[in-house]
Amino acid sequence: MYQVIVAASTHWDREWYRTFNDFRIRLCDVFNHLLDLLAQDEDFVCYTFDGQSVVLEDYLEIFPHRKERIKSLVAQGKILFGPLYNLPDEFLSSGEALIRNFLVGHRICTEMGGKMRAGYLPDNFGHISQMPQILNGVGIGSAFFFRGCHLDTLGGKEFIWKAPDGSKVLAEYMLLGYWSLKSWGKLGLSPEEQFKKAVETLGAKSKLGTILLVNGSDHLYQDPEFTTLLKRVRAAFPAWEIRNGSIEDYAKLALARAEKADLKEVTGELRDFRYGPDPTATTSTRYQLKFGMYQVLREIERYTEPLNTIAYQMGGAYPAELITYAWKKILKALGHDGITGCSVDEVMEDIAGYIKEAQTIAGRLSEMAWEKLASLISTDKLAENEQYLCLFNPLQFDRTAVVEAVVHVEGQREITDFALYDENRAAVPYEYLDQWEEVITREFKYRSKEKVYRKCFKIRFLAKDVPALGFKRYLVKPLALMEKRQAELYVRLQNAERWIENEFYRVTPEADGSLTVLDKKNNREYRGLNTYLSRGEIGDEYQHVSPLQDEHVFATLRGVSVFRNSPLASTLKLRLVLSVSRAADAQFLGRDGEDVDCPIVTYVTLYQGCPRIDFRVEVENNALNHVLTVKFPTDFTNAVDFSFVSFDEVERDNRLYEFDPALRSTQSFLKPMQHYAGIRGKEGAFYLMTRGLYEYSTKPSATGLDLYLTLLRSTTHLFRGIPISWLSGQESTTPIVETRGSRELGKHTFYYALSFDQGRINELWQEYAYPMRAFDLRKKPEEAAGEREFSGRSFLRLDQRAVLLSALKKHEYSSGLVLRLYNTREERTEVTIDFGFEVHRCYYADLMENPGAEIAVQDNRVTIPLGPKKIQTLVIY
């Protein structure tokens, strides 16, 4: 006997082919009709609002007087929201952003009286490997989804999904989609026929005998005949137990039956799209959005929250409400139709606006935290015209690195130079990068604002031993006379060579525009690196489709120059041009043959003491319908590729299945990444670190495995009808809309870095992603009582480089602090945490920040075990 739960629902894309406000008008009408229906129909047991809670805020902003009415329905269990705030794209959200999505959703739902406790992820474009651990961490033991699964590998629609740390959830592949009973009785079949067909289709693939049918789909109103239809099918199929319920009700039912069932266990990410349209190219659609999101996540996670936490611990106020507001803007932008770039241009402008607003708030809060901290630092050792340049290290380990900083000298128009010293007044050599003048406006609490003239000197220098999550001061002594003859002599005496090198690498440009890198440590040479390649693109914002008559177009080298400005760094500048067809041809079978030039300027930099090769690439794209990639060949034996995505380094499977004409889509070769991807084999490893680039691919070659990094993908449509990769005649309800913004025309700048230093990737990618930040500190006219010296001390330090920091913030519901860590290793480890402040108590906690077992604290230090790939939250008082 089947047990069937029919969940009344709607899938709500906050914005997509229409703007947010356009859809909100419909949302308000949907909500109003639903509230009346639930009040009038006593037989209507429950309505599930798509696993999100942002819709509550969107509706109540227009109808605030209906809040109590909704709370009453929530209390009766007649309507459920959450557990998420907004349905995200998992591969473009950071791991921390995914946790905050559940945390913000929890707060909103709790204020309304309760939330749905089921992992409803219906429309995400695939699922990360650590999602079961995150779901367990927020108190959820189930997961439901439509994309990224394949019945041939699952064995049935229900299975056990296991995270790398061992966390498990009962998962269900919604093989008929999140619309399995949409438009019930209105699609040409009687209600009984449509119901029977859906139940039998799902039942044939069920090991539990439980059937979830969802009456709803994208932006649909709830059918007022719903309970009447339920009565009809109950009468027609008395052998089946049929009832209206929530997705949480179904999860409880399925979990109870799963205890006695033999379900297949699946570990890792879910990205198999052989039976559905391939949306994996959304990791490269509209690059500027991705880069903006990278920047704001970096700001709020590694500067705004830690700096404000340090200031809070030293007696300042914590701006929790403003930080939450910024997070909400970020989470709205991370919606699965938002940050992915697969919406109309007007929506993309709104998404960019969310990101910009969050960046403005987070950046200003970072500055204000420093202003609070600066007021606590003594400046009594400074002479009258001297000032400090303070560096903040956002990482959990001490750090030595070449840093870039801007020194601002105020009100001294005669100043043309300065000397730099460490805190012991030992001279620190530095390199000039730029210089300019500006006038800023400075605001005060109790007196009027003032205009301030200042000279700005952008410099580069080697900062040694900057403490973990701490500060180090450098003394700046302004000078009226410029004294740079020694540096000028160094530049003059440099040999004219067509390569650059440091103690780790020598980088040489070749005639074809590629690079040859000598890895001095391993005495191994890599050739053909950083080759620019354009492929044709006739797909849309969702998927990459190759034209049947494609051309692979390579960039041509036009010039090489070398900057060797100081012993600190050396830079190659390569000028290339990509002559590529202007667009696809009229039939979308190939390229139109009318070439346009796309200039590319590549800056390659080596730093003293750094086993990393940094790239800045400036591209002026003048062509449509193509994908620009950069190729990195390797010749390792038994090579495999891998990438980091949200708390996990995932080794990729390069196996391709045989072509199946019954499939709706060809297999994707595109792969997601966050922070780094790479290839390893018997002879060594290659790592590619990125800033705001989220997509790569690999192809076997005659000598090994080649990695291709996607820089940009130029498309012309949100959706383009029936791309050639689909089964002929496959229908879709997605509107066909032309999108000018997805063409990616104009100038773009890309950032990435290489390393061949095996075993240090955790240090290298964090140092690349989270540079040290510089702040000015000027002499105060009067030293306030209670000022303290905390320069040179660490606020928090970990003794394990394999254990990474995810969050440092104030606790959501108390005066405590929250520290979130994760173990990158596949084996158990132990980490000692040294706190630079007085710690009285420390507790383990779940991801909702609920404290659990207490941890022993001794001399402001705790030592805890971490299981393989474990995410661990601590609450500290």
Side-chain angles (χ1 to χ4, degrees):
M1 179 185 76
Y2 291 136
Q3 287 188 279
V4 184
I5 289 183
V6 184
S9 184
T10 184
H11 173 57
W12 202 264
D13 299 298
R14 195 169 180 271
E15 53 257 297
W16 180 22
Y17 59 88
R18 292 186 179 181
T19 64
F20 158 63
N21 277 311
D22 195 335
F23 270 141
R24 179 157 69 170
I25 293 170
R26 185 178 177 96
L27 172 70
C28 290
D29 203 33
V30 166
F31 237 120
N32 291 337
H33 278 77
L34 177 63
L35 295 179
D36 290 340
L37 179 60
L38 292 175
Q40 296 164 5
D41 191 342
E42 294 182 357
D43 295 329
F44 206 128
V45 175
C46 184
Y47 185 89
T48 302
F49 220 117
D50 199 35
Q52 305 179 71
S53 57
V54 67
V55 288
L56 271 169
E57 289 187 331
D58 295 339
Y59 176 75
L60 291 174
E61 187 177 8
I62 307 300
F63 294 97
H65 56 283
R66 294 193 174 149
K67 183 175 182 178
E68 293 306 314
R69 187 176 176 185
I70 296 173
K71 289 179 72 173
S72 175
L73 290 169
V74 171
Q76 299 171 56
K78 297 199 73 169
I79 187 168
L80 271 76
F81 300 92
L84 286 159
Y85 180 65
N86 192 25
L87 192 64
D89 184 87
E90 295 176 29
F91 290 97
L92 294 170
S93 295
S94 67
E96 190 59 34
L98 289 170
I99 293 171
R100 300 307 176 90
N101 210 322
F102 284 102
L103 190 61
V104 173
H106 176 79
R107 291 191 66 167
I108 292 173
C109 292
T110 300
E111 290 172 5
M112 298 300 293
K115 70 175 180 181
M116 182 171 74
R117 296 188 179 275
Y120 192 52
L121 307 165
D123 199 26
N124 310 54
F125 301 160
H127 306 278
I128 64 167
S129 63
Q130 288 280 31
M131 185 53 75
Q133 184 178 179
I134 294 173
L135 288 169
N136 281 186
V138 299
I140 293 174
S142 59
F144 300 87
F145 29 69
F146 152 61
R147 301 185 191 273
C149 295
H150 192 298
L151 280 173
D152 294 352
T153 55
L154 299 178
K157 70 180 181 70
E158 308 100 351
F159 62 100
I160 301 299
W161 187 20
K162 182 179 176 181
D165 77 313
S167 301
K168 297 178 182 179
V169 294
L170 171 63
E172 175 146 344
Y173 169 37
M174 304 168 71
L175 61 99
L176 292 181
Y178 52 82
W179 57 86
S180 48
L181 202 59
K182 79 172 179 179
S183 305
W184 193 2
K186 299 174 175 61
L187 297 177
L189 298 176
S190 70
E192 292 83 357
E193 289 172 327
Q194 184 178 351
F195 186 87
K196 182 174 184 288
K197 182 178 179 181
V199 169
E200 291 180 341
T201 300
L202 295 175
K205 301 298 183 181
S206 176
K207 291 189 174 184
L208 302 181
T210 56
I211 308 297
L212 173 64
L213 295 179
V214 181
N215 175 225
S217 188
D218 296 7
H219 307 104
L220 288 187
Y221 287 64
Q222 181 54 44
D223 191 339
E225 298 181 352
F226 175 68
T227 55
T228 301
L229 296 173
L230 266 179
K231 292 174 184 176
R232 285 180 59 173
V233 294
R234 283 199 193 104
F237 308 106
W240 298 343
E241 184 181 315
I242 304 167
R243 62 187 174 98
N244 170 218
S246 68
I247 292 167
E248 180 180 339
D249 292 333
Y250 179 81
K252 292 177 181 177
L253 172 66
L255 281 165
R257 287 204 170 187
E259 291 179 359
K260 300 178 181 179
D262 182 22
L263 298 180
K264 184 170 183 178
E265 189 171 278
V266 175
T267 301
E269 62 187 12
L270 302 176
R271 294 184 57 255
D272 193 333
F273 294 95
R274 285 179 286 155
Y275 273 100
D278 167 20
T280 58
T282 55
T283 44
S284 58
T285 303
R286 299 186 187 250
Y287 160 72
Q288 295 295 344
L289 280 184
K290 273 70 170 176
F291 185 67
M293 179 56 70
Y294 165 82
Q295 289 179 303
V296 71
L297 286 173
R298 175 175 69 176
E299 183 66 37
I300 198 166
E301 292 178 9
R302 302 314 291 262
Y303 301 99
T304 307
E305 289 188 331
L307 283 167
N308 278 279
T309 301
I310 296 170
Y312 169 71
Q313 183 62 28
M314 293 188 170
Y318 190 84
E321 295 81 4
L322 283 166
I323 289 176
T324 298
Y325 182 82
W327 267 115
K328 285 183 176 181
K329 290 293 181 180
I330 291 168
L331 297 177
K332 288 173 182 176
L334 283 170
H336 65 293
D337 291 314
I339 193 60
T340 50
C342 51
S343 294
V344 296
D345 290 336
E346 294 83 358
V347 166
M348 296 294 90
E349 292 168 6
D350 288 345
I351 299 298
Y354 300 155
I355 295 171
K356 183 177 180 181
E357 190 171 352
Q359 179 70 53
T360 300
I361 294 168
R364 180 61 187 132
L365 291 178
S366 297
E367 292 173 355
M368 292 177 68
W370 167 249
E371 290 167 5
K372 296 172 189 174
L373 291 167
S375 68
L376 301 175
I377 303 175
S378 173
T379 61
D380 60 355
K381 294 181 181 179
L382 290 175
E384 193 60 36
N385 68 333
E386 294 175 342
Q387 62 190 65
Y388 284 129
L389 179 71
C390 289
L391 291 184
F392 171 63
N393 174 15
L395 301 185
Q396 66 279 2
F397 53 83
D398 295 352
R399 188 172 178 186
T400 294
V402 174
V403 300
E404 293 185 2
V406 178
V407 175
H408 303 97
V409 178
E410 297 184 356
Q412 302 181 55
R413 296 178 182 270
E414 73 282 3
I415 295 302
T416 59
D417 198 3
F418 63 89
L420 189 67
Y421 305 94
D422 65 17
E423 290 192 275
N424 296 319
R425 291 192 175 262
V428 176
Y430 65 89
E431 172 189 351
Y432 268 113
L433 298 178
D434 200 359
Q435 182 176 332
W436 65 93
E437 297 178 3
E438 64 185 18
V439 178
I440 63 167
T441 299
R442 180 163 290 140
E443 297 171 315
F444 304 92
K445 284 186 176 181
Y446 306 116
R447 61 184 176 91
S448 181
K449 58 184 176 292
E450 66 179 13
K451 294 178 182 178
V452 178
Y453 165 86
R454 63 185 188 181
K455 289 193 173 181
C456 309
F457 303 89
K458 187 176 183 180
I459 63 170
R460 183 156 57 192
F461 65 98
L462 181 64
K464 298 180 180 179
D465 301 319
V466 183
L469 282 160
F471 300 86
K472 185 170 182 177
R473 293 181 301 195
Y474 290 85
L475 189 145
V476 174
K477 186 177 182 64
L479 302 172
L481 299 176
M482 183 172 286
E483 180 52 79
K484 294 299 174 193
R485 290 178 295 174
Q486 182 178 352
E488 190 271 339
L489 181 61
Y490 174 86
V491 173
R492 190 190 309 171
L493 293 177
Q494 292 175 74
N495 291 327
E497 302 290 353
R498 205 171 180 267
W499 41 259
I500 58 173
E501 67 177 340
N502 65 3
E503 60 266 48
F504 299 99
Y505 306 115
R506 174 179 286 189
V507 182
T508 306
E510 303 297 340
D512 62 358
S514 69
L515 300 174
T516 295
V517 173
L518 173 64
D519 177 4
K520 296 181 179 181
K521 178 180 177 181
N522 299 306
N523 194 31
R524 185 175 179 84
E525 193 171 70
Y526 298 87
R527 304 186 67 85
L529 300 178
N530 208 66
T531 299
Y532 297 103
L533 169 65
S534 167
R535 299 193 316 268
E537 171 63 271
I538 59 168
D540 49 43
E541 290 185 330
Y542 289 95
Q543 58 182 346
H544 167 60
V545 180
S546 299
L548 294 176
Q549 301 172 7
D550 197 9
E551 301 175 46
H552 285 197
V553 182
F554 297 86
T556 303
L557 183 65
R558 293 291 178 86
V560 175
S561 56
V562 178
F563 297 97
R564 296 177 59 118
N565 295 329
S566 79
L568 295 173
S570 303
T571 300
L572 272 173
K573 179 180 178 182
L574 285 72
R575 293 176 296 279
L576 304 97
V577 66
L578 182 71
S579 294
V580 65
S581 292
R582 178 187 57 85
D585 62 25
Q587 296 77 32
F588 279 83
L589 292 175
R591 306 202 189 195
D592 69 1
E594 182 182 333
D595 285 357
V596 293
D597 285 348
C598 300
I600 302 174
V601 180
T602 305
Y603 297 90
V604 188
T605 301
L606 295 175
Y607 294 101
Q608 175 187 336
C610 182
R612 201 180 68 219
I613 307 169
D614 285 11
F615 289 76
R616 185 176 92 243
V617 177
E618 298 172 353
V619 176
E620 184 176 344
N621 180 45
N622 297 312
L624 307 179
N625 308 117
H626 77 123
V627 180
L628 177 60
T629 64
V630 56
K631 176 182 175 182
F632 300 92
T634 65
D635 59 358
F636 300 138
T637 306
N638 299 324
V640 296
D641 66 286
F642 53 88
S643 75
F644 179 88
V645 177
S646 292
F647 305 119
D648 192 17
E649 181 184 286
V650 181
E651 192 168 290
R652 305 287 178 196
D653 183 359
N654 285 290
R655 176 172 61 103
L656 293 178
Y657 297 92
E658 293 296 322
F659 177 73
D660 181 353
L663 298 182
R664 296 181 184 176
S665 176
T666 54
Q667 297 170 64
S668 175
F669 61 94
L670 304 175
K671 305 177 185 183
M673 64 179 292
Q674 295 173 0
H675 297 303
Y676 72 87
I679 296 173
R680 66 170 63 95
K682 180 180 178 182
E683 297 82 4
F686 156 81
Y687 300 96
L688 177 65
M689 293 157 274
T690 63
R691 293 176 176 172
L693 294 164
Y694 293 90
E695 180 182 291
Y696 78 103
S697 59
T698 55
K699 290 183 182 180
S701 67
T703 58
L705 189 63
D706 300 343
L707 186 148
Y708 297 77
L709 176 66
T710 306
L711 297 185
L712 65 82
R713 194 169 69 90
S714 171
T715 64
T716 55
H717 287 75
L718 182 157
F719 184 72
R720 211 182 57 77
I722 307 173
I724 60 172
S725 69
W726 283 29
L727 182 69
S728 178
Q730 172 65 28
E731 296 181 357
S732 172
T733 58
T734 303
I736 298 175
V737 180
E738 186 173 354
T739 49
R740 298 184 66 85
S742 64
R743 296 179 177 192
E744 298 284 57
L745 296 175
K747 294 183 178 180
H748 305 273
T749 303
F750 308 96
Y751 302 89
Y752 51 91
L754 311 182
S755 182
F756 303 91
D757 193 338
Q758 205 165 6
R760 289 187 59 191
I761 185 59
N762 282 329
E763 297 171 53
L764 292 172
W765 82 253
Q766 290 180 93
E767 289 176 342
Y768 184 64
Y770 308 126
M772 287 188 266
R773 178 148 313 169
F775 300 95
D776 295 314
L777 178 59
R778 291 171 187 83
K779 185 170 179 61
K780 303 168 201 171
E782 296 180 4
E783 293 289 338
E787 290 184 341
R788 46 185 111 165
E789 292 284 356
F790 64 84
S791 176
R793 290 196 293 116
S794 173
F795 184 76
L796 183 153
R797 179 184 286 110
L798 307 184
D799 71 341
Q800 279 278 10
R801 298 298 173 94
V803 178
L804 276 57
L805 178 71
S806 180
L808 177 62
K809 61 184 286 288
K810 181 185 173 294
H811 189 254
E812 288 289 303
Y813 313 109
S814 75
S815 61
L817 305 183
V818 167
L819 171 64
R820 189 156 25 252
L821 312 171
Y822 60 101
N823 178 16
T824 61
R825 289 179 176 169
E826 295 182 354
E827 59 273 352
R828 182 183 181 278
T829 191
E830 194 173 76
V831 61
T832 296
I833 309 165
D834 282 294
F835 298 100
F837 56 94
E838 190 171 354
V839 174
H840 302 285
R841 301 184 310 281
C842 184
Y843 300 89
Y844 292 109
D846 61 18
L847 296 182
M848 291 288 96
E849 303 184 9
N850 298 307
E854 188 168 2
I855 305 168
V857 180
Q858 187 172 8
D859 297 327
N860 300 321
R861 174 182 297 172
V862 299
T863 298
I864 61 170
L866 287 175
K869 301 294 182 77
K870 176 66 176 176
I871 307 165
Q872 183 61 65
T873 304
L874 305 179
V875 178
I876 304 145
Y877 295 95

Short mmCIF file of all heavy atoms in Angstrom, two decimals, residues 74-94:
data_model
loop_
_atom_site.label_atom_id
_atom_site.label_comp_id
_atom_site.label_asym_id
_atom_site.label_seq_id
_atom_site.Cartn_x
_atom_site.Cartn_y
_atom_site.Cartn_z
N VAL A 74 0.53 29.78 11.19
CA VAL A 74 1.75 29.03 11.48
C VAL A 74 1.57 28.23 12.77
O VAL A 74 1.94 27.06 12.86
CB VAL A 74 2.98 29.98 11.59
CG1 VAL A 74 4.20 29.23 12.12
CG2 VAL A 74 3.29 30.59 10.24
N ALA A 75 0.98 28.85 13.78
CA ALA A 75 0.76 28.17 15.06
C ALA A 75 -0.15 26.97 14.91
O ALA A 75 0.00 25.96 15.60
CB ALA A 75 0.17 29.16 16.07
N GLN A 76 -1.11 27.04 13.97
CA GLN A 76 -2.01 25.93 13.71
C GLN A 76 -1.39 24.86 12.80
O GLN A 76 -1.99 23.81 12.59
CB GLN A 76 -3.30 26.43 13.05
CG GLN A 76 -4.10 27.40 13.87
CD GLN A 76 -5.23 28.02 13.05
OE1 GLN A 76 -6.07 27.31 12.49
NE2 GLN A 76 -5.24 29.34 12.97
N GLY A 77 -0.19 25.16 12.27
CA GLY A 77 0.45 24.23 11.35
C GLY A 77 -0.14 24.24 9.97
O GLY A 77 0.11 23.33 9.16
N LYS A 78 -0.90 25.27 9.63
CA LYS A 78 -1.57 25.31 8.33
C LYS A 78 -0.70 25.92 7.24
O LYS A 78 -1.05 25.82 6.06
CB LYS A 78 -2.89 26.08 8.44
CG LYS A 78 -3.90 25.43 9.37
CD LYS A 78 -5.31 25.92 9.11
CE LYS A 78 -5.89 25.34 7.82
NZ LYS A 78 -7.33 25.59 7.66
N ILE A 79 0.39 26.57 7.62
CA ILE A 79 1.31 27.12 6.63
C ILE A 79 2.72 27.05 7.20
O ILE A 79 2.93 27.31 8.39
CB ILE A 79 0.92 28.57 6.24
CG1 ILE A 79 1.79 29.07 5.08
CG2 ILE A 79 0.99 29.51 7.43
CD1 ILE A 79 1.29 30.36 4.46
N LEU A 80 3.67 26.63 6.37
CA LEU A 80 5.06 26.46 6.80
C LEU A 80 6.00 27.26 5.91
O LEU A 80 5.82 27.30 4.67
CB LEU A 80 5.47 24.98 6.76
CG LEU A 80 5.22 24.16 8.02
CD1 LEU A 80 3.73 23.84 8.12
CD2 LEU A 80 6.03 22.88 7.99
N PHE A 81 7.00 27.87 6.56
CA PHE A 81 8.06 28.59 5.85
C PHE A 81 9.41 28.02 6.28
O PHE A 81 9.54 27.35 7.29
CB PHE A 81 8.01 30.08 6.18
CG PHE A 81 6.73 30.75 5.81
CD1 PHE A 81 5.69 30.86 6.73
CD2 PHE A 81 6.54 31.27 4.54
CE1 PHE A 81 4.50 31.47 6.40
CE2 PHE A 81 5.35 31.89 4.20
CZ PHE A 81 4.33 31.99 5.13
N GLY A 82 10.43 28.37 5.50
CA GLY A 82 11.79 27.95 5.85
C GLY A 82 12.05 26.52 5.42
O GLY A 82 11.22 25.88 4.79
N PRO A 83 13.24 26.00 5.78
CA PRO A 83 14.20 26.50 6.76
C PRO A 83 15.16 27.56 6.23
O PRO A 83 15.90 28.16 6.99
CB PRO A 83 14.97 25.24 7.14
CG PRO A 83 14.97 24.42 5.89
CD PRO A 83 13.63 24.67 5.26
N LEU A 84 15.16 27.79 4.92
CA LEU A 84 16.09 28.75 4.33
C LEU A 84 15.52 30.15 4.33
O LEU A 84 14.30 30.35 4.45
CB LEU A 84 16.41 28.34 2.89
CG LEU A 84 17.33 27.14 2.70
CD1 LEU A 84 17.15 26.55 1.31
CD2 LEU A 84 18.79 27.54 2.92
N TYR A 85 16.41 31.13 4.14
CA TYR A 85 15.97 32.50 3.89
C TYR A 85 15.63 32.65 2.42
O TYR A 85 14.55 33.11 2.06
CB TYR A 85 17.09 33.47 4.29
CG TYR A 85 16.75 34.92 4.07
CD1 TYR A 85 15.72 35.53 4.79
CD2 TYR A 85 17.47 35.70 3.17
CE1 TYR A 85 15.41 36.87 4.60
CE2 TYR A 85 17.17 37.04 2.98
CZ TYR A 85 16.13 37.62 3.69
OH TYR A 85 15.83 38.94 3.50
N ASN A 86 16.55 32.26 1.55
CA ASN A 86 16.34 32.36 0.11
C ASN A 86 17.00 31.14 -0.53
O ASN A 86 18.07 30.72 -0.10
CB ASN A 86 16.97 33.65 -0.43
CG ASN A 86 16.55 33.96 -1.86
OD1 ASN A 86 15.48 33.53 -2.31
ND2 ASN A 86 17.37 34.71 -2.56
N LEU A 87 16.36 30.55 -1.50
CA LEU A 87 16.88 29.33 -2.12
C LEU A 87 18.16 29.67 -2.90
O LEU A 87 18.10 30.36 -3.92
CB LEU A 87 15.84 28.73 -3.06
CG LEU A 87 16.14 27.31 -3.55
CD1 LEU A 87 16.15 26.32 -2.39
CD2 LEU A 87 15.11 26.89 -4.60
N PRO A 88 19.33 29.19 -2.45
CA PRO A 88 20.59 29.67 -3.02
C PRO A 88 21.11 28.78 -4.15
O PRO A 88 20.66 27.65 -4.34
CB PRO A 88 21.55 29.56 -1.82
CG PRO A 88 21.07 28.31 -1.13
CD PRO A 88 19.57 28.28 -1.30
N ASP A 89 22.08 29.29 -4.87
CA ASP A 89 22.92 28.42 -5.68
C ASP A 89 24.05 27.95 -4.79
O ASP A 89 24.82 28.75 -4.26
CB ASP A 89 23.49 29.16 -6.89
CG ASP A 89 24.28 28.20 -7.77
OD1 ASP A 89 23.68 27.56 -8.64
OD2 ASP A 89 25.50 28.07 -7.55
N GLU A 90 24.15 26.64 -4.61
CA GLU A 90 25.09 26.11 -3.63
C GLU A 90 26.54 26.24 -4.06
O GLU A 90 27.44 26.36 -3.22
CB GLU A 90 24.76 24.64 -3.36
CG GLU A 90 23.40 24.45 -2.70
CD GLU A 90 23.05 22.98 -2.53
OE1 GLU A 90 23.97 22.15 -2.38
OE2 GLU A 90 21.83 22.67 -2.55
N PHE A 91 26.80 26.23 -5.37
CA PHE A 91 28.19 26.25 -5.83
C PHE A 91 28.75 27.67 -5.94
O PHE A 91 29.96 27.85 -6.09
CB PHE A 91 28.31 25.52 -7.17
CG PHE A 91 28.12 24.04 -7.04
CD1 PHE A 91 26.89 23.47 -7.29
CD2 PHE A 91 29.15 23.23 -6.61
CE1 PHE A 91 26.69 22.11 -7.14
CE2 PHE A 91 28.98 21.86 -6.46
CZ PHE A 91 27.73 21.30 -6.72
N LEU A 92 27.88 28.67 -5.87
CA LEU A 92 28.34 30.06 -5.90
C LEU A 92 28.24 30.73 -4.54
O LEU A 92 28.72 31.84 -4.36
CB LEU A 92 27.55 30.85 -6.95
CG LEU A 92 27.79 30.39 -8.40
CD1 LEU A 92 26.79 31.04 -9.34
CD2 LEU A 92 29.21 30.67 -8.84
N SER A 93 27.60 30.07 -3.58
CA SER A 93 27.60 30.53 -2.19
C SER A 93 28.86 30.01 -1.52
O SER A 93 29.27 28.88 -1.77
CB SER A 93 26.39 29.98 -1.43
OG SER A 93 25.18 30.48 -1.93
N SER A 94 29.45 30.81 -0.66
CA SER A 94 30.51 30.27 0.19
C SER A 94 29.87 29.32 1.20
O SER A 94 28.65 29.36 1.43
CB SER A 94 31.23 31.40 0.92
OG SER A 94 30.37 32.02 1.87
#
